[in-house]
Amino acid sequence: MAKERAKFVFVPRVKLWVDAQDVDGNWSLGRIREILDEDTVLVAFDGWSDKYNQPCSFSSSSIAPLRFYTKGYTGQQKITLREYNLQPSLIKLVEQKMILLKRTKLNAFSAYEITSFLRGDLFVLMDDLLTRTYLVLAKLIR
């Protein structure tokens, strides 16, 4: 039985994590790269190069809240293409948000914002840290 699309309202903003349907009809984790107009955003799919970015309209059924349709990693299986952005300022920002979440007992943000942070920003940051560590160790072993 197919999962029915939930009724939801997006407040689109750049860097918001979403589920988006690609041209082949597959649901993938994506991030809003740009707001094109009042109804359309440009989505960059996690793990895919920019040539796969595509516009998604909120009035269509091609975009949904983060993890509504997706589970786990949805990018390329053989070669992951991700912008590794391990800037100290980004790590500090994530740390500050985790502290705020703890201090406010998760009351400072909506459930969607918390989910987007934990399953989006924090997940990708941890994945990047682990991947970078693996790459450094692989170079040392060679």
mmCIF file of all heavy atoms in Angstrom, residues 61-97:
data_model
loop_
_atom_site.group_PDB
_atom_site.id
_atom_site.type_symbol
_atom_site.label_atom_id
_atom_site.label_comp_id
_atom_site.label_asym_id
_atom_site.label_seq_id
_atom_site.Cartn_x
_atom_site.Cartn_y
_atom_site.Cartn_z
ATOM 1 N N SER A 61 3.365 17.113 -6.458
ATOM 2 C CA SER A 61 3.608 16.088 -5.437
ATOM 3 C C SER A 61 5.062 15.623 -5.469
ATOM 4 O O SER A 61 5.379 14.543 -5.017
ATOM 5 C CB SER A 61 2.672 14.897 -5.665
ATOM 6 O OG SER A 61 2.892 14.363 -6.958
ATOM 7 N N SER A 62 5.964 16.471 -5.991
ATOM 8 C CA SER A 62 7.363 16.073 -6.129
ATOM 9 C C SER A 62 8.246 16.498 -4.969
ATOM 10 O O SER A 62 9.451 16.267 -4.990
ATOM 11 C CB SER A 62 7.936 16.637 -7.430
ATOM 12 O OG SER A 62 7.954 18.053 -7.383
ATOM 13 N N ILE A 63 7.663 17.086 -3.942
ATOM 14 C CA ILE A 63 8.445 17.518 -2.777
ATOM 15 C C ILE A 63 7.631 17.238 -1.514
ATOM 16 O O ILE A 63 6.409 17.350 -1.519
ATOM 17 C CB ILE A 63 8.844 19.007 -2.913
ATOM 18 C CG1 ILE A 63 9.894 19.396 -1.879
ATOM 19 C CG2 ILE A 63 7.640 19.906 -2.879
ATOM 20 C CD1 ILE A 63 10.559 20.724 -2.176
ATOM 21 N N ALA A 64 8.318 16.798 -0.482
ATOM 22 C CA ALA A 64 7.640 16.422 0.772
ATOM 23 C C ALA A 64 8.562 16.729 1.950
ATOM 24 O O ALA A 64 9.759 16.966 1.770
ATOM 25 C CB ALA A 64 7.305 14.928 0.737
ATOM 26 N N PRO A 65 8.019 16.704 3.167
ATOM 27 C CA PRO A 65 8.865 16.943 4.336
ATOM 28 C C PRO A 65 9.994 15.911 4.424
ATOM 29 O O PRO A 65 9.873 14.778 3.945
ATOM 30 C CB PRO A 65 7.895 16.772 5.512
ATOM 31 C CG PRO A 65 6.553 16.992 4.940
ATOM 32 C CD PRO A 65 6.621 16.492 3.532
ATOM 33 N N LEU A 66 11.060 16.326 5.035
ATOM 34 C CA LEU A 66 12.221 15.466 5.241
ATOM 35 C C LEU A 66 11.818 14.118 5.823
ATOM 36 O O LEU A 66 11.079 14.046 6.795
ATOM 37 C CB LEU A 66 13.196 16.162 6.197
ATOM 38 C CG LEU A 66 14.385 15.351 6.667
ATOM 39 C CD1 LEU A 66 15.367 15.124 5.527
ATOM 40 C CD2 LEU A 66 15.068 16.039 7.825
ATOM 41 N N ARG A 67 12.282 13.054 5.189
ATOM 42 C CA ARG A 67 12.106 11.664 5.608
ATOM 43 C C ARG A 67 10.656 11.190 5.594
ATOM 44 O O ARG A 67 10.312 10.218 6.242
ATOM 45 C CB ARG A 67 12.721 11.424 6.989
ATOM 46 C CG ARG A 67 14.201 11.701 7.042
ATOM 47 C CD ARG A 67 14.938 10.804 6.107
ATOM 48 N NE ARG A 67 16.394 10.926 6.278
ATOM 49 C CZ ARG A 67 17.268 10.486 5.418
ATOM 50 N NH1 ARG A 67 16.889 9.905 4.316
ATOM 51 N NH2 ARG A 67 18.546 10.636 5.641
ATOM 52 N N PHE A 68 9.812 11.881 4.840
ATOM 53 C CA PHE A 68 8.445 11.393 4.683
ATOM 54 C C PHE A 68 8.434 10.142 3.807
ATOM 55 O O PHE A 68 7.699 9.202 4.062
ATOM 56 C CB PHE A 68 7.543 12.482 4.088
ATOM 57 C CG PHE A 68 6.091 12.120 4.115
ATOM 58 C CD1 PHE A 68 5.359 12.236 5.284
ATOM 59 C CD2 PHE A 68 5.446 11.639 2.985
ATOM 60 C CE1 PHE A 68 4.014 11.894 5.322
ATOM 61 C CE2 PHE A 68 4.116 11.285 3.006
ATOM 62 C CZ PHE A 68 3.392 11.418 4.184
ATOM 63 N N TYR A 69 9.255 10.152 2.759
ATOM 64 C CA TYR A 69 9.335 9.012 1.850
ATOM 65 C C TYR A 69 10.682 8.286 1.903
ATOM 66 O O TYR A 69 10.777 7.152 1.449
ATOM 67 C CB TYR A 69 9.101 9.451 0.396
ATOM 68 C CG TYR A 69 7.701 9.912 0.114
ATOM 69 C CD1 TYR A 69 7.408 11.254 -0.072
ATOM 70 C CD2 TYR A 69 6.660 9.000 0.020
ATOM 71 C CE1 TYR A 69 6.118 11.674 -0.345
ATOM 72 C CE2 TYR A 69 5.369 9.412 -0.245
ATOM 73 C CZ TYR A 69 5.106 10.755 -0.423
ATOM 74 O OH TYR A 69 3.830 11.162 -0.686
ATOM 75 N N THR A 70 11.725 8.931 2.373
ATOM 76 C CA THR A 70 13.071 8.354 2.306
ATOM 77 C C THR A 70 13.514 7.755 3.625
ATOM 78 O O THR A 70 13.048 8.142 4.694
ATOM 79 C CB THR A 70 14.111 9.409 1.883
ATOM 80 O OG1 THR A 70 14.168 10.437 2.883
ATOM 81 C CG2 THR A 70 13.785 9.999 0.537
ATOM 82 N N LYS A 71 14.432 6.810 3.518
ATOM 83 C CA LYS A 71 15.092 6.217 4.693
ATOM 84 C C LYS A 71 16.564 6.086 4.353
ATOM 85 O O LYS A 71 16.917 5.678 3.243
ATOM 86 C CB LYS A 71 14.558 4.823 4.997
ATOM 87 C CG LYS A 71 13.167 4.784 5.555
ATOM 88 C CD LYS A 71 12.807 3.367 5.910
ATOM 89 C CE LYS A 71 11.388 3.294 6.446
ATOM 90 N NZ LYS A 71 10.999 1.936 6.774
ATOM 91 N N GLY A 72 17.417 6.406 5.304
ATOM 92 C CA GLY A 72 18.843 6.210 5.101
ATOM 93 C C GLY A 72 19.404 7.027 3.958
ATOM 94 O O GLY A 72 18.859 8.037 3.545
ATOM 95 N N TYR A 73 20.515 6.567 3.421
ATOM 96 C CA TYR A 73 21.219 7.264 2.359
ATOM 97 C C TYR A 73 20.521 7.002 1.025
ATOM 98 O O TYR A 73 20.236 5.863 0.682
ATOM 99 C CB TYR A 73 22.673 6.787 2.304
ATOM 100 C CG TYR A 73 23.465 7.433 1.198
ATOM 101 C CD1 TYR A 73 23.823 8.772 1.278
ATOM 102 C CD2 TYR A 73 23.826 6.717 0.079
ATOM 103 C CE1 TYR A 73 24.522 9.385 0.267
ATOM 104 C CE2 TYR A 73 24.543 7.310 -0.945
ATOM 105 C CZ TYR A 73 24.890 8.645 -0.844
ATOM 106 O OH TYR A 73 25.583 9.249 -1.845
ATOM 107 N N THR A 74 20.278 8.064 0.259
ATOM 108 C CA THR A 74 19.564 7.923 -1.007
ATOM 109 C C THR A 74 20.385 8.400 -2.197
ATOM 110 O O THR A 74 19.877 8.489 -3.303
ATOM 111 C CB THR A 74 18.234 8.699 -0.976
ATOM 112 O OG1 THR A 74 18.513 10.094 -0.752
ATOM 113 C CG2 THR A 74 17.297 8.168 0.089
ATOM 114 N N GLY A 75 21.653 8.725 -1.971
ATOM 115 C CA GLY A 75 22.503 9.226 -3.060
ATOM 116 C C GLY A 75 23.096 8.095 -3.878
ATOM 117 O O GLY A 75 22.679 6.937 -3.798
ATOM 118 N N GLN A 76 24.097 8.445 -4.697
ATOM 119 C CA GLN A 76 24.771 7.461 -5.531
ATOM 120 C C GLN A 76 25.367 6.364 -4.657
ATOM 121 O O GLN A 76 25.873 6.627 -3.579
ATOM 122 C CB GLN A 76 25.891 8.115 -6.336
ATOM 123 C CG GLN A 76 25.403 9.066 -7.391
ATOM 124 C CD GLN A 76 26.537 9.507 -8.272
ATOM 125 O OE1 GLN A 76 26.998 8.743 -9.095
ATOM 126 N NE2 GLN A 76 26.976 10.734 -8.091
ATOM 127 N N GLN A 77 25.320 5.160 -5.130
ATOM 128 C CA GLN A 77 25.809 4.029 -4.328
ATOM 129 C C GLN A 77 27.307 3.786 -4.486
ATOM 130 O O GLN A 77 27.959 3.354 -3.564
ATOM 131 C CB GLN A 77 25.036 2.757 -4.684
ATOM 132 C CG GLN A 77 23.554 2.862 -4.378
ATOM 133 C CD GLN A 77 23.258 3.173 -2.918
ATOM 134 O OE1 GLN A 77 23.774 2.523 -2.035
ATOM 135 N NE2 GLN A 77 22.454 4.195 -2.681
ATOM 136 N N LYS A 78 27.854 4.053 -5.671
ATOM 137 C CA LYS A 78 29.271 3.750 -5.892
ATOM 138 C C LYS A 78 30.174 4.926 -5.559
ATOM 139 O O LYS A 78 31.206 4.756 -4.930
ATOM 140 C CB LYS A 78 29.497 3.297 -7.335
ATOM 141 C CG LYS A 78 28.854 1.959 -7.619
ATOM 142 C CD LYS A 78 29.157 1.494 -9.009
ATOM 143 C CE LYS A 78 28.492 0.132 -9.229
ATOM 144 N NZ LYS A 78 28.763 -0.401 -10.537
ATOM 145 N N ILE A 79 29.829 6.099 -6.000
ATOM 146 C CA ILE A 79 30.646 7.280 -5.762
ATOM 147 C C ILE A 79 29.757 8.386 -5.211
ATOM 148 O O ILE A 79 28.941 8.947 -5.936
ATOM 149 C CB ILE A 79 31.333 7.774 -7.049
ATOM 150 C CG1 ILE A 79 32.206 6.682 -7.647
ATOM 151 C CG2 ILE A 79 32.130 9.038 -6.776
ATOM 152 C CD1 ILE A 79 32.764 7.027 -9.005
ATOM 153 N N THR A 80 29.914 8.692 -3.948
ATOM 154 C CA THR A 80 29.121 9.741 -3.336
ATOM 155 C C THR A 80 29.745 11.089 -3.646
ATOM 156 O O THR A 80 30.941 11.267 -3.466
ATOM 157 C CB THR A 80 29.066 9.556 -1.810
ATOM 158 O OG1 THR A 80 28.483 8.295 -1.547
ATOM 159 C CG2 THR A 80 28.249 10.636 -1.157
ATOM 160 N N LEU A 81 28.933 12.001 -4.110
ATOM 161 C CA LEU A 81 29.398 13.357 -4.370
ATOM 162 C C LEU A 81 28.708 14.277 -3.371
ATOM 163 O O LEU A 81 27.522 14.517 -3.461
ATOM 164 C CB LEU A 81 29.058 13.778 -5.799
ATOM 165 C CG LEU A 81 29.669 12.911 -6.888
ATOM 166 C CD1 LEU A 81 29.127 13.314 -8.248
ATOM 167 C CD2 LEU A 81 31.178 13.005 -6.873
ATOM 168 N N ARG A 82 29.467 14.747 -2.424
ATOM 169 C CA ARG A 82 28.908 15.623 -1.395
ATOM 170 C C ARG A 82 29.905 16.738 -1.136
ATOM 171 O O ARG A 82 31.095 16.522 -1.165
ATOM 172 C CB ARG A 82 28.677 14.825 -0.112
ATOM 173 C CG ARG A 82 28.022 15.667 0.970
ATOM 174 C CD ARG A 82 27.792 14.878 2.227
ATOM 175 N NE ARG A 82 26.587 14.068 2.089
ATOM 176 C CZ ARG A 82 26.374 12.953 2.765
ATOM 177 N NH1 ARG A 82 27.266 12.494 3.601
ATOM 178 N NH2 ARG A 82 25.263 12.285 2.603
ATOM 179 N N GLU A 83 29.362 17.898 -0.895
ATOM 180 C CA GLU A 83 30.230 19.017 -0.543
ATOM 181 C C GLU A 83 30.663 18.849 0.907
ATOM 182 O O GLU A 83 29.868 18.997 1.821
ATOM 183 C CB GLU A 83 29.479 20.337 -0.700
ATOM 184 C CG GLU A 83 29.115 20.678 -2.117
ATOM 185 C CD GLU A 83 28.303 21.953 -2.214
ATOM 186 O OE1 GLU A 83 28.351 22.782 -1.279
ATOM 187 O OE2 GLU A 83 27.608 22.111 -3.220
ATOM 188 N N TYR A 84 31.929 18.515 1.106
ATOM 189 C CA TYR A 84 32.439 18.390 2.469
ATOM 190 C C TYR A 84 32.741 19.783 2.977
ATOM 191 O O TYR A 84 33.621 20.458 2.484
ATOM 192 C CB TYR A 84 33.679 17.491 2.508
ATOM 193 C CG TYR A 84 33.320 16.057 2.224
ATOM 194 C CD1 TYR A 84 33.467 15.509 0.972
ATOM 195 C CD2 TYR A 84 32.787 15.272 3.230
ATOM 196 C CE1 TYR A 84 33.104 14.194 0.722
ATOM 197 C CE2 TYR A 84 32.419 13.956 2.991
ATOM 198 C CZ TYR A 84 32.587 13.425 1.737
ATOM 199 O OH TYR A 84 32.222 12.141 1.488
ATOM 200 N N ASN A 85 31.988 20.190 3.960
ATOM 201 C CA ASN A 85 32.092 21.554 4.458
ATOM 202 C C ASN A 85 32.386 21.518 5.952
ATOM 203 O O ASN A 85 31.561 21.880 6.768
ATOM 204 C CB ASN A 85 30.783 22.308 4.170
ATOM 205 C CG ASN A 85 30.896 23.776 4.451
ATOM 206 O OD1 ASN A 85 31.980 24.282 4.707
ATOM 207 N ND2 ASN A 85 29.772 24.467 4.410
ATOM 208 N N LEU A 86 33.561 21.038 6.290
ATOM 209 C CA LEU A 86 33.917 20.892 7.699
ATOM 210 C C LEU A 86 34.621 22.134 8.232
ATOM 211 O O LEU A 86 35.689 22.058 8.815
ATOM 212 C CB LEU A 86 34.799 19.656 7.884
ATOM 213 C CG LEU A 86 34.107 18.338 7.570
ATOM 214 C CD1 LEU A 86 35.087 17.187 7.686
ATOM 215 C CD2 LEU A 86 32.939 18.115 8.496
ATOM 216 N N GLN A 87 34.009 23.263 8.021
ATOM 217 C CA GLN A 87 34.545 24.518 8.536
ATOM 218 C C GLN A 87 34.317 24.577 10.040
ATOM 219 O O GLN A 87 33.257 24.156 10.529
ATOM 220 C CB GLN A 87 33.851 25.706 7.869
ATOM 221 C CG GLN A 87 33.935 25.717 6.361
ATOM 222 C CD GLN A 87 35.338 25.923 5.873
ATOM 223 O OE1 GLN A 87 36.128 26.624 6.514
ATOM 224 N NE2 GLN A 87 35.686 25.303 4.770
ATOM 225 N N PRO A 88 35.286 25.108 10.798
ATOM 226 C CA PRO A 88 35.086 25.245 12.253
ATOM 227 C C PRO A 88 33.805 26.006 12.599
ATOM 228 O O PRO A 88 33.130 25.682 13.567
ATOM 229 C CB PRO A 88 36.327 26.016 12.713
ATOM 230 C CG PRO A 88 37.373 25.669 11.698
ATOM 231 C CD PRO A 88 36.623 25.525 10.384
ATOM 232 N N SER A 89 33.443 26.993 11.774
ATOM 233 C CA SER A 89 32.228 27.764 12.052
ATOM 234 C C SER A 89 30.975 26.893 11.934
ATOM 235 O O SER A 89 30.038 27.049 12.713
ATOM 236 C CB SER A 89 32.136 28.966 11.114
ATOM 237 O OG SER A 89 32.124 28.535 9.764
ATOM 238 N N LEU A 90 30.965 25.955 10.976
ATOM 239 C CA LEU A 90 29.820 25.053 10.818
ATOM 240 C C LEU A 90 29.719 24.114 12.017
ATOM 241 O O LEU A 90 28.638 23.900 12.558
ATOM 242 C CB LEU A 90 29.937 24.238 9.529
ATOM 243 C CG LEU A 90 28.864 23.165 9.352
ATOM 244 C CD1 LEU A 90 27.497 23.786 9.142
ATOM 245 C CD2 LEU A 90 29.209 22.236 8.213
ATOM 246 N N ILE A 91 30.840 23.572 12.426
ATOM 247 C CA ILE A 91 30.846 22.669 13.582
ATOM 248 C C ILE A 91 30.381 23.418 14.826
ATOM 249 O O ILE A 91 29.584 22.898 15.610
ATOM 250 C CB ILE A 91 32.239 22.037 13.771
ATOM 251 C CG1 ILE A 91 32.550 21.145 12.547
ATOM 252 C CG2 ILE A 91 32.316 21.249 15.061
ATOM 253 C CD1 ILE A 91 33.969 20.653 12.479
ATOM 254 N N LYS A 92 30.824 24.657 14.991
ATOM 255 C CA LYS A 92 30.412 25.478 16.135
ATOM 256 C C LYS A 92 28.909 25.770 16.082
ATOM 257 O O LYS A 92 28.225 25.718 17.106
ATOM 258 C CB LYS A 92 31.209 26.789 16.139
ATOM 259 C CG LYS A 92 30.998 27.633 17.360
ATOM 260 C CD LYS A 92 31.618 26.984 18.558
ATOM 261 C CE LYS A 92 31.551 27.875 19.761
ATOM 262 N NZ LYS A 92 31.936 27.192 20.986
ATOM 263 N N LEU A 93 28.397 26.038 14.896
ATOM 264 C CA LEU A 93 26.969 26.301 14.740
ATOM 265 C C LEU A 93 26.136 25.088 15.133
ATOM 266 O O LEU A 93 25.129 25.211 15.836
ATOM 267 C CB LEU A 93 26.675 26.702 13.294
ATOM 268 C CG LEU A 93 25.276 27.178 12.975
ATOM 269 C CD1 LEU A 93 24.970 28.478 13.695
ATOM 270 C CD2 LEU A 93 25.131 27.374 11.468
ATOM 271 N N VAL A 94 26.537 23.904 14.698
ATOM 272 C CA VAL A 94 25.838 22.667 15.054
ATOM 273 C C VAL A 94 25.907 22.449 16.568
ATOM 274 O O VAL A 94 24.912 22.099 17.201
ATOM 275 C CB VAL A 94 26.409 21.457 14.280
ATOM 276 C CG1 VAL A 94 25.886 20.153 14.840
ATOM 277 C CG2 VAL A 94 26.079 21.578 12.803
ATOM 278 N N GLU A 95 27.082 22.688 17.142
ATOM 279 C CA GLU A 95 27.250 22.530 18.589
ATOM 280 C C GLU A 95 26.319 23.486 19.349
ATOM 281 O O GLU A 95 25.653 23.086 20.311
ATOM 282 C CB GLU A 95 28.707 22.802 18.970
ATOM 283 C CG GLU A 95 28.973 22.707 20.457
ATOM 284 C CD GLU A 95 30.395 23.093 20.819
ATOM 285 O OE1 GLU A 95 31.043 23.827 20.061
ATOM 286 O OE2 GLU A 95 30.848 22.656 21.892
ATOM 287 N N GLN A 96 26.240 24.741 18.908
ATOM 288 C CA GLN A 96 25.370 25.720 19.572
ATOM 289 C C GLN A 96 23.899 25.319 19.470
ATOM 290 O O GLN A 96 23.141 25.482 20.426
ATOM 291 C CB GLN A 96 25.589 27.107 18.965
ATOM 292 C CG GLN A 96 26.928 27.702 19.325
ATOM 293 C CD GLN A 96 27.237 28.966 18.544
ATOM 294 O OE1 GLN A 96 26.632 29.258 17.511
ATOM 295 N NE2 GLN A 96 28.204 29.722 19.044
ATOM 296 N N LYS A 97 23.505 24.778 18.322
ATOM 297 C CA LYS A 97 22.110 24.359 18.165
ATOM 298 C C LYS A 97 21.806 23.176 19.079
ATOM 299 O O LYS A 97 20.729 23.104 19.674
ATOM 300 C CB LYS A 97 21.818 24.005 16.711
ATOM 301 C CG LYS A 97 20.341 23.903 16.428
ATOM 302 C CD LYS A 97 20.047 24.040 14.966
ATOM 303 C CE LYS A 97 18.563 24.123 14.713
ATOM 304 N NZ LYS A 97 18.268 24.272 13.294
#
